Amino acid sequence: MGIELSESHHIVHEGIRLLLEFTEAPLAETNDCVGHAVHVSALEHDQSELSSHISAHGEVLESFATAIAIFGPDRRLKFFNVVFVQLWCIEPDSLRNEPLIGEMLELLRERRVLPEYFDFPAFKQEQDRLFVSVLERQEELMHLPDGRTLRRAVLPHQFGDLLFFFEDVTGRLARKRSYNTLIEVQGE
């Protein structure tokens, strides 16, 4: 007994290019088979349009001066921009194989660019739980061992993704501190 086989091919019918999916399936207990074709040009058009939208969104996210990473519902890194690579001083090739968020955190910890956490395994579990607990934007400041301070924002996406934004606010905080000190001195 054979198996069902399917292939897609473009054809031209009455001057119009169409995509058809041809399927052949064996009939039970005979040497005969039955086949049918399904017109799937609309699906091909929708997939092409979706690809264009995804590409356009990627270009927009790439243009931001903020480091951006998007992790899919499977907890794998699906998108990162150049600023993200520069912020963390990571080789882009090490990110292209879509590491899990836990693997990414381990990499950043090894490079000593994450804050020192007393219980790192618990921190990793907490980050993993974000995928099922974040319902609205969350922000926090991260004080890194090298003296930088980052503002991290985590936003849920309707498709189950999590968007991470990282902004270096070290200079801004230093200016604010200097300004506040100047105001206090002048007030004295």
Side-chain angles (χ1 to χ4, degrees):
M1 184 151 152
I3 58 171
E4 183 175 295
L5 300 173
S6 293
E7 286 185 359
S8 296
H9 294 281
H10 286 100
I11 66 163
V12 176
H13 177 70
E14 297 181 357
I16 299 173
R17 184 173 184 260
L18 304 173
L19 178 64
L20 297 180
E21 182 173 304
F22 298 94
T23 303
E24 286 187 351
L27 293 174
E29 300 181 21
T30 69
N31 287 333
D32 297 328
C33 67
V34 64
H36 67 279
V38 178
H39 180 224
V40 291
S41 295
L43 177 63
E44 179 184 40
H45 172 75
D46 291 346
Q47 288 172 336
S48 174
E49 197 167 301
L50 178 61
S51 282
S52 294
H53 283 293
I54 290 171
S55 178
H57 285 278
E59 289 174 16
V60 169
L61 293 176
E62 196 63 61
S63 70
F64 287 126
T66 302
I68 301 170
I70 300 175
F71 286 86
D74 61 355
R75 290 150 172 79
R76 292 196 169 279
L77 182 65
K78 300 297 182 186
F79 174 86
F80 57 92
N81 64 359
V82 172
V83 181
F84 181 83
V85 169
Q86 293 168 345
L87 176 71
W88 300 111
C89 300
I90 299 174
E91 284 295 320
D93 291 339
S94 66
L95 303 177
R96 295 201 202 294
N97 62 358
E98 298 185 353
L100 291 164
I101 191 165
E103 296 168 345
M104 189 75 206
L105 292 170
E106 287 288 348
L107 174 69
L108 296 175
R109 181 180 185 213
E110 287 171 14
R111 300 178 58 81
R112 300 197 37 81
V113 291
L114 276 183
E116 296 293 331
Y117 293 100
F118 176 72
D119 187 356
F120 187 73
F123 169 73
K124 274 180 39 178
Q125 287 179 346
E126 179 185 314
Q127 298 308 293
D128 196 57
R129 278 193 298 273
L130 290 175
F131 288 88
V132 293
S133 65
V134 173
L135 300 175
E136 57 188 39
R137 180 187 185 104
Q138 292 185 355
E139 285 193 30
E140 70 174 331
L141 289 179
M142 299 172 63
H143 302 284
L144 306 184
D146 64 5
R148 293 182 297 167
T149 300
L150 303 180
R151 181 181 63 87
R152 180 184 90 158
V154 180
L155 292 96
H157 189 272
Q158 64 185 3
F159 298 130
D161 301 341
L162 279 183
L163 288 71
F164 288 81
F165 295 86
F166 299 91
E167 180 183 9
D168 190 341
V169 294
T170 308
R172 188 181 322 156
L173 291 176
R175 286 189 299 277
K176 188 174 184 177
R177 220 177 356 261
S178 294
Y179 175 77
N180 289 341
T181 302
L182 179 64
I183 296 299
E184 286 178 20
V185 169
Q186 286 180 349
E188 292 290 321

